[in-house]
Amino acid sequence: MQHRKRVWPVAIAVATATVSAATLIAGCGSDSKADNEVHNIIYLLGDGMGRTHVTAARERFAGANGRLNLEQLPYVGAVATYAVEPGSAKPSLVTDSASAATAWSSGVKTYNAAIGVDAYGKSVPTLMEQAKAAGFATGNVSTAEITDATPAAMVSHSLLRGCQGPAFSESSCLPKKSDGSYEAQPADKTLVTPIAEQIARNNTADVILGGGLARFEPDDQKAMQDNGYEVLGSMGDPALKVQTPESQRVATAADLKTVTGQKVIGLFNRGNMTATNARAALPDSAPQKQEPTLAEMTTKAIDLLAKRKDGKGFLLQVEGALIDKRSHANDAAQTLDEVKAFDDAVAAALDFAKRDGHTMVIVTADHECAGFNIIEKNTFTNAEAVAPPTNVDTGNPANNSVPARDGKDNVKDPARSTGLVNGAGHQDPRNFAPATFRTPDDPAEVKDGSPEASLWLTYLSGNHTGADVQIYAYGPGAQVFAANQDNTSLYTKMHQALLP
C-alpha cells in the first residue's frame, strides 16, 4: 500500500481540461436556456432495484391496490443493463454498478468494475463534468460511500472501482493480466488516483452527501476548503500520519440542517450509511441515529442547488444504495425498508419538480439484485421445495425434460432451510426459506413472519441478475424515457434535455 497524495495534481487538472474541451466539441456550453424547458434534472437510482422490488414494496407498504411515489410518475419504460468484456464489444450479460453507472453517466458500454472509462480503459467525459463546465450546479447524494461505484461514475475515472482510497494499491487500482500479474500503470495517472482524492480536487460536484469518511484524509479536507467547500464534520487530524476513527468526525443530520453554502460535503458514516431498518432499532445514543435519511439529504441538496445565484439550473444524482447491499445479504426486511426510504426521496424530488415546472425527474435502477421475487403462500423456491416442480408433462410426453427428476430429488434440503426466515427458523444462518410480511390488506392480527402473512418473498441468489429494469419519468420532455432502451441511451437523452 502506498499513499499518492499530492503526486499527480497536474494529471487531474489535465483530465479536467480535457473534459471541458470535450463539452465544447459536444456543443454543451450555451448560456441561453430560453428555448429549453428543462432547467434541472434529478436522476434517482435505486441500486439493485428490480421490478419485483418495486412490486413487493408497494404491496408491503401501500397494499395491492396502492402505489409508491415512483409509480405515480407518468412515463414508464424499460432499460437493458448488460456490460461488455474488457477490451471488446462482446456483451457481458450481467452488469455491476460500475459499468452500469458509466453507461448512463458517459454513454459508453464498459467492463464490470470500470469507472468513467470505456472498455479499453480510456477516460470518457461524464454528464456531470459536462454540466459543470456548462455552468450548471451539480450534486451527488448516496447512502453508500460517496466513493462507491454509482456516485463515483459521475465524478471520477478509474480502471477499477475498488481504487477508492485513501491509499493506492495495485490490487485495488490495477486490472490483472491473464497470467495473474498486474497491468502496467497507465499514462493517464488519474486512472489510478484514488477516487476520494479525485473527488476532493476536481470540483465536479458542488454538493456531496453520503457515507465514506474513512476514504478521505486531512489533506483532502484542506483541498476542498481551499476550493470553497464547507466540510461538515472532520476528515482527520493533519498531525497524524495514519487516520483513526477517533481522529475523524462524521457529519450529522443537525450539521446538514444548518448548512447554507453553495458548495458542501457531508459524510455521515465512515463506511456505508446505516440501513433504515437497523437504524430504527438503535438506541438514541448511537452515533448512527444522527445520520440523515436519504429523503432529508435529497431535500437539502435540492434546496442548496436551486438557490444558486446564477439561476443556470442543476444536475443532481441521488442513489438509494442499500437496496442492493441488503439484497446481496438476502435480508428481505431491510430490502423492503430501503425501497421505501428511496421512494420517500423520490417524493421529495417530485414535490420540487411539480412546484418548479422546469425539472425532469428520472427514477430507475442500474440492475436487479439477487433475483428477488414474490412467491405463492406456503411454497418454497426450487432449491428449498418440499416437492420441487416436476419436469414431466403427463399430457404431452414430448415436453418432458431430460433427465427426469426421480423421487429422491423431491425432498427439502435440510442443510439450508428449517422454516420461515422470519419465523421459527430465523436463528439458523443457513436458512434461505421464504420471508413473510403482513400487508395493509391483511387482518390486523396477522404478523410478519407468520404463515398467514400474505406477502411471501424469496431470493434466487446473492448476486446481480441480467434482468431489464424499469424507468419512470416526470417533467418536460420526459416522454422520451417511455420506451425500451439501452442504459447508454439514458446519457444521450439527459444530455439532449439539459445540454442541447
Side-chain angles (χ1 to χ4, degrees):
M1 301 281 283
Q2 55 183 296
H3 285 264
R4 293 216 163 167
K5 301 298 179 181
R6 300 179 297 278
V7 174
W8 296 314
V10 175
I12 294 175
V14 170
T16 304
T18 301
V19 168
S20 298
T23 65
L24 296 177
I25 294 171
C28 303
S30 173
D31 289 330
S32 174
K33 297 294 289 184
D35 59 347
N36 188 345
E37 284 190 286
V38 180
H39 298 174
N40 316 301
I41 291 180
I42 306 175
Y43 181 81
L44 299 108
L45 189 284
D47 200 303
M49 185 182 72
R51 188 68 187 91
T52 300
H53 287 77
V54 174
T55 305
R58 176 213 309 150
E59 293 173 346
R60 166 65 162 167
F61 298 110
N65 292 318
R67 286 292 181 270
L68 297 179
N69 294 300
L70 63 86
E71 293 180 296
Q72 298 178 42
L73 275 64
Y75 303 108
V76 181
V79 181
T81 64
Y82 73 92
V84 294
E85 297 292 341
S88 77
K90 180 183 178 182
S92 177
L93 298 183
V94 180
T95 189
D96 79 339
S97 296
S99 56
T102 299
W104 75 67
S105 65
S106 294
V108 299
K109 288 289 186 183
T110 193
Y111 58 90
N112 286 336
I115 296 286
V117 299
D118 65 17
Y120 302 90
K122 180 181 178 181
S123 182
V124 287
T126 76
L127 181 65
M128 192 165 287
E129 290 168 336
Q130 293 172 324
K132 184 65 180 291
F136 288 84
T138 51
N140 202 5
V141 174
S142 178
T143 50
E145 295 178 278
I146 206 67
T147 53
D148 202 0
T150 299
M154 272 290 192
V155 296
S156 64
H157 306 269
S158 184
L159 296 176
L160 290 180
R161 60 182 289 179
C163 191
Q164 296 184 49
F168 168 89
S169 71
E170 288 186 328
S171 60
S172 296
C173 300
L174 287 173
K176 284 187 174 181
K177 301 177 183 177
S178 58
D179 64 3
S181 63
Y182 292 108
E183 297 279 0
Q185 292 195 21
D188 182 355
K189 298 303 182 184
T190 301
L191 302 183
V192 286
T193 299
I195 292 168
E197 184 175 348
Q198 294 185 52
I199 291 172
R201 289 159 177 79
N202 63 23
N203 295 298
T204 300
D206 297 313
V207 176
I208 303 169
L209 304 174
L213 179 62
R215 301 292 184 178
F216 293 81
E217 294 189 316
D219 60 336
D220 296 318
Q221 178 166 331
K222 183 180 185 304
M224 299 198 80
Q225 290 172 329
D226 289 347
N227 284 321
Y229 284 85
E230 183 173 351
V231 179
L232 307 184
S234 171
M235 294 179 182
D237 183 350
L240 296 178
K241 292 183 178 179
V242 179
Q243 295 305 311
T244 65
E246 293 75 24
S247 68
Q248 294 184 314
R249 184 179 76 80
V250 296
T252 66
D255 295 331
L256 185 63
K257 285 182 180 179
T258 60
V259 70
T260 59
Q262 294 185 5
K263 298 178 74 174
V264 61
I265 180 169
L267 304 177
F268 304 96
N269 196 298
R270 285 177 54 77
N272 298 318
M273 293 180 68
T274 308
T276 304
N277 179 296
R279 188 174 65 242
L282 292 170
D284 291 341
S285 59
Q288 295 90 338
K289 278 285 193 179
Q290 310 310 310
E291 296 177 17
T293 65
L294 182 61
E296 289 169 342
M297 291 193 293
T298 301
T299 299
K300 189 66 174 186
I302 292 171
D303 179 59
L304 295 175
L305 295 171
K307 289 181 177 178
R308 282 281 290 260
K309 302 298 184 184
D310 53 27
K312 181 82 172 183
F314 66 81
L315 170 65
L316 171 63
Q317 177 173 284
V318 177
E319 181 196 23
L322 302 183
I323 299 169
D324 177 73
K325 297 184 188 305
R326 303 324 300 162
S327 292
H328 278 299
N330 283 192
D331 189 322
Q334 289 190 332
T335 297
L336 290 172
D337 285 346
E338 289 309 312
V339 177
K340 176 63 167 63
F342 174 72
D343 193 55
D344 291 343
V346 172
L350 192 57
D351 177 66
F352 171 81
K354 288 179 177 178
R355 288 185 282 110
D356 176 69
H358 296 284
T359 297
M360 177 183 285
V361 177
I362 304 158
V363 182
T364 189
D366 47 358
H367 52 72
E368 196 279 340
C369 186
F372 196 44
N373 223 322
I374 302 165
I375 61 175
E376 189 176 356
K377 287 179 68 172
N378 301 311
T379 62
F380 296 82
T381 59
N382 291 357
E384 309 305 325
V386 175
T390 182
N391 60 0
V392 173
D393 185 346
T394 57
N396 183 355
N399 296 333
N400 289 356
S401 299
V402 178
R405 297 190 188 100
D406 58 32
K408 69 181 182 181
D409 293 319
N410 291 333
V411 293
K412 188 173 172 181
D413 183 351
R416 293 188 58 202
S417 183
T418 58
L420 302 179
V421 76
N422 304 27
H426 80 284
Q427 298 295 336
D428 186 345
R430 300 171 298 177
N431 186 344
F432 284 13
T436 69
F437 298 90
R438 63 163 284 106
T439 73
D441 302 317
D442 288 335
E445 65 273 12
V446 171
K447 306 296 182 185
D448 289 349
S450 69
E452 293 76 26
S454 59
L455 182 59
W456 282 54
L457 298 169
T458 193
Y459 293 89
L460 174 66
S461 75
N463 296 313
H464 301 166
T465 71
D468 287 1
V469 295
Q470 297 288 103
I471 187 168
Y472 309 83
Y474 169 89
Q479 66 273 10
V480 297
F481 295 99
N484 291 312
Q485 59 223 298
D486 188 77
N487 54 7
T488 55
S489 71
L490 305 186
Y491 165 84
T492 303
K493 292 174 180 180
M494 287 191 288
H495 190 287
Q496 290 175 344
L498 196 66
L499 304 167

